[in-house]
Each structure stands twice: as C-alpha cells, then as structure tokens.
C-alpha cells in the first residue's frame, strides 16, 4: 500500500489550516518544494531516536519572526543560517539580508544572491552615537564637537535619529530615509571651521579621518531598502572590516530596513540574518537590533541572530524570540542562557535535550509551545564556513 501523506510540521505557525502535506520522505527535492505549504521554509526533518529522519520540518515565513540560532563552533550554526537564507530566496514577498562577518555566505550567489561591499550613509548614525563610534568620550572636547557638528549637519538636512529613553530609536524632523547625508569630508570641514580650541578641532578631525579609512561611509550610498528590493539574498561582506565599522554598518542596515517598512518604501518583508551576532550587541549596533527584537514584527521586519556565544547576547534576544534553534552547547554560561527560554509547557531540563551530532538541533517553537529535535537539511548552495584541513591539502597533491 502507498505510504499515507504526512503533514509538514511548520514551526512558528499555530494555525493548522495553513498546513499542507508532503509524503514525509526526502525524495525529489523539487517535488517536495512544490507540495509544501505556502511560505514555508523547509529546514530539515524530525530526528527519530534511532537516528533516522522522520517527517519534514519547516519554518513559517509568511509572518515576521524573531529567532536565535545557537551552537558551539563546528556544530552547524552558520550552516543553518544559510539553509534559511536559501529558503527565503525562493519565497515570494520576502527578502533575506545576511550580515556576514566571516565571509562564509558567498555561496548564496548560486541562488541569485549578491555579495555587497558594505556602505551606509553617515546620516544613518545618530549624532549622539558618533563619539562612541570613534572612541571618544562624549563629554570631552573632541567628542562633544563631533556630536555637535553631526547634529548641526543633520538638522540642516533633516531627519536626525534620537534615542527615545528606552534604548530604541525614533525619528526627529523627517523620515531620514532619502534625506541628503553629509559626507565625512564635509563633517571634517565643519570641525575645522568650528569655534573650538585648535587642539580640540585637530583631535576631532583626526578621528573622522579614521572613520573615513574604514571605507564604509558614503554620503551617496543607495538607500538600505535597495538591499531587499528584488527578494534575492544580499550578503553584507564584513570580513576584515574593523569592529567599529562593522557595527556601524549593522546599525545603519537594521534601522534602515525598519524605517523603510514604516515609511512604506519596501513592499517585501525583510529578514535580517546576523551571524556572530554577539559581536554586534556590545556596541553601537545594539539599539537598532533591540528595536527589531522588540518592535520589528509590527512593520514586518524579521531578525534571526546566530552565535556561538549565547551568553554574550542580552536576555531580550532570547525572551523576544519565538523561534529558537540550538545546536550543541557545552559552556556553562551558554547553557544557562539557553535555559532562559524554558517555559511551563516544556517538561524537564531543556539543556539536557541538546543533540550531540553535527547538523542536529533542538528547536523550541513558541507558537505551538513545543520542542523538537531536528536534523538540518543539506545546503543547495556552497557552504564556505567549514574550517580548512591539512589532510585535504595533502590529498589534493
């Protein structure tokens, strides 16, 4: 007798009427993609106790979500993020934007993705943030001068972002999306012309020259919304970019996607996938990422943070996530951060349920209040995150 069809289990979707069916076997991948429920990203299959693969598992991408992907190095964290990016690339109405600090997501070009040299407008960084970005004390002469010069430049062009007192950003004086942005050269000229001691002006100008050397600020950079305009993956290649510059890019992109959806300038629902996310929650990018975690779903912006150091993420990253994927963890502090996701509907020790194998993950689905062990499917595009091995170099001779 033919095998009866099995439902695709869709994580993040609690409306069973949305579910479709598949035959529950790996089989023909094209056929399975054709038969899956609409706007479902197939990430793998249930992992049975005997190690075999069970029914297919997908993630809802019809609605916006916040998620985290945990895992110690080498267990499949970045690989899983790449699988999700592949699925988003094939869906209508969504667009993946990948923050790639290690330069390992270039393989997404195989599904129409493009690797982008990161560039944001100086106006995307609020005046109050510039001293911290440049390593200046905001209360010092050079720090306060930079703050004042940037604020004056933005007030002249409209659209300054300020803090709302909760660590989130709001807009002042306009949308800030298409307003002219001062160049770093123009900011240096304003510093040199300011009524301030020569030593203060010299220090402020030197720090702005440092920012120019990062090569990530461009007054004529395209609007951030253009990264998600066509639905193909956009990979922000931050490999080799200084930490402060990378954080500035992430802040500008995260806030830019949010503003574009609020302003109606982006018809697609963007998914910002951030690898090594812990590096961006301890700096100038943190307020914008926090905004996406706490308020991004209302305008339709999803955020997925992947990290091998869960303990370095703020608690809000876990508490606001409705999807949690965890590969193997061993460090006590990281396991404790994972334990913060435990809820009354989860019986037993969640950390004790973590799988051991590479590519296997425990998935906590808040929408259906369940946890499952899943084997992540194989990538369809090249994965560039694997560590080199001397033995393979020897075999190639």
């Amino acid at each position: 007798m033919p095998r009866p069809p099995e439902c695709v289990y869709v994580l993040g979707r609690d409306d069973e009427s949305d579910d479709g069916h598949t035959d529950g076997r790996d089989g023909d991948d094209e056929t399975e993609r054709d038969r899956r429920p609409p706007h479902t990203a197939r990430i793998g299959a249930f992992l049975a106790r005997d190690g075999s693969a069970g029914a297919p598992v997908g993630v809802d991408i019809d609605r916006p979500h916040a998620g985290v992907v945990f895992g110690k190095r080498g267990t499949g964290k970045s690989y899983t993020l790449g699988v999700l990016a592949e699925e988003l690339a094939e869906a209508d109405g969504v667009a993946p934007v990948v923050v790639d600090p290690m330069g390992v997501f270039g393989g997404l070009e195989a599904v129409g993705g493009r690797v982008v040299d990161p560039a944001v407008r100086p106006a995307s960084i609020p005046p109050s943030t510039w001293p911290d970005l440049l390593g200046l004390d905001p209360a010092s002469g050079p720090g306060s001068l930079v703050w004042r010069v940037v604020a004056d430049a933005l007030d002249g062009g409209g659209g300054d972002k300020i803090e709302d007192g909760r660590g989130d950003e709001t807009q002042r004086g306009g949308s800030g999306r298409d307003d002219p942005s001062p160049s770093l050269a123009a900011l240096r000229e304003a510093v040199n012309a300011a009524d301030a001691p020569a030593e203060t002006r010299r220090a402020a100008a030197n720090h702005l020259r440092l920012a120019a050397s990062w090569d990530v600020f461009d007054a004529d950079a395209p609007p951030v919304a253009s990264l998600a305009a066509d639905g193909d993956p956009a990979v922000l290649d931050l490999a080799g970019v200084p930490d402060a510059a990378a954080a500035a890019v992430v802040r500008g992109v995260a806030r830019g996607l949010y503003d574009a959806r609020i302003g109606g300038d982006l018809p697609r629902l963007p998914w910002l996938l951030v690898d090594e996310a812990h590096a961006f929650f301890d700096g100038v990018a943190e307020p914008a990422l926090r905004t996406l975690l706490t308020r991004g779903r209302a305008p339709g912006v999803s955020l997925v943070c992947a990290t091998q150091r869960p303990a370095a993420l703020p608690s809000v990253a876990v508490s606001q996530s409705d999807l949690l994927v965890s590969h193997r963890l061993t460090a006590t502090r990281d396991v404790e951060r994972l334990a913060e996701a435990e809820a009354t509907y989860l019986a037993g020790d969640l950390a004790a349920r973590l799988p051991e194998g590479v590519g296997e993950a425990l998935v906590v689905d808040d929408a259906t209040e369940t946890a499952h062990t899943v084997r992540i499917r194989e990538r369809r595009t090249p994965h560039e995150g694997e560590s080199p091995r001397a033995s393979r170099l020897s075999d190639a001779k």
Side-chain angles (χ1 to χ4, degrees), residues 102-393:
M102 304 299 291
V104 300
F105 289 95
L108 291 171
E109 291 179 321
V111 289
R114 64 190 189 280
V115 177
V116 179
D117 289 330
V120 294
R121 299 177 183 182
S124 66
I125 306 300
S128 60
T129 300
W130 274 94
D132 287 338
L133 177 64
L134 299 180
L136 293 169
D137 181 352
S140 69
S144 61
L145 177 58
V146 169
W147 186 338
R148 174 162 54 88
V149 164
V150 176
D152 289 346
L154 294 184
D155 281 342
D160 177 16
K161 296 185 183 72
I162 60 174
E163 303 294 333
D164 66 1
R166 297 176 298 175
D168 294 330
E169 296 170 339
T170 57
Q171 290 293 141
R172 180 181 71 191
S175 69
R177 295 184 305 276
D178 298 315
D179 294 326
S181 173
S183 66
L184 290 187
L187 293 177
R188 288 201 306 272
E189 291 178 4
V191 163
N192 290 329
D195 182 13
E199 183 178 351
T200 298
R201 287 186 277 115
R202 184 165 53 251
N206 286 340
H207 279 80
L208 287 172
R209 288 190 183 90
L210 173 64
S213 72
W214 297 338
D215 201 26
V216 299
F217 289 111
D218 182 355
D220 298 318
V224 171
S226 65
L227 294 172
D230 57 9
D232 293 327
V235 179
L236 298 172
D237 185 5
L238 295 175
V241 175
D243 291 346
V249 170
V250 172
R251 180 167 189 154
V253 169
R255 186 67 204 198
L257 294 174
Y258 182 86
D259 288 342
R261 284 294 301 171
I262 291 289
D265 299 324
L266 183 56
R268 298 178 182 274
L269 300 186
W271 284 65
L272 183 61
L273 312 180
V274 184
D275 199 16
E276 305 297 338
H278 59 273
F280 303 107
F281 275 97
D282 184 23
V284 300
E286 193 270 347
L289 294 177
R290 185 179 292 268
T291 294
L292 295 191
L293 284 171
T294 58
R295 293 191 281 166
R297 277 171 278 191
V301 185
S302 298
L303 174 65
V304 180
C305 297
T307 179
Q308 59 182 300
R309 295 176 53 197
L313 293 185
S315 296
V316 68
V318 176
S319 63
Q320 292 293 327
S321 294
D322 58 334
L323 292 172
L324 186 153
V325 179
S326 184
H327 297 276
R328 187 184 180 198
L329 295 171
T330 55
T332 301
R333 293 182 61 212
D334 293 334
V335 173
E336 289 174 348
R337 180 50 48 89
L338 171 65
E340 293 179 11
E342 293 197 49
T344 57
Y345 57 81
L346 296 175
D349 183 1
L350 183 61
R353 300 168 62 179
L354 290 176
E356 295 288 330
V358 174
E360 300 172 359
L362 180 69
V363 179
V364 180
D365 177 16
D366 197 54
T368 58
E369 300 187 344
T370 53
H372 311 275
T373 304
V374 172
R375 174 176 290 159
I376 303 299
R377 70 158 175 81
E378 292 187 6
R379 289 271 300 268
R380 292 190 288 269
T381 58
H383 174 57
E384 301 171 9
E386 188 177 14
S387 298
R389 297 187 182 182
S391 59
R392 292 179 180 174
L393 296 177

Side-chain angles (χ1 to χ4, degrees), residues 35-92:
R35 299 176 63 183
R36 77 179 62 179
H39 288 93
T40 298
R42 176 182 171 265
I43 63 168
F46 287 122
L47 184 64
R49 291 186 177 181
D50 63 1
S52 62
V57 177
V59 171
D60 171 64
I61 54 175
D62 188 37
R63 303 173 180 85
H65 295 278
V68 290
V69 181
F70 296 157
K72 65 180 297 184
R73 183 176 179 181
T75 57
K77 164 188 58 68
S78 299
Y79 193 98
T80 297
L81 209 63
V83 167
L84 182 57
E86 288 178 350
E87 296 291 321
L88 290 164
E90 295 185 350
D92 295 328

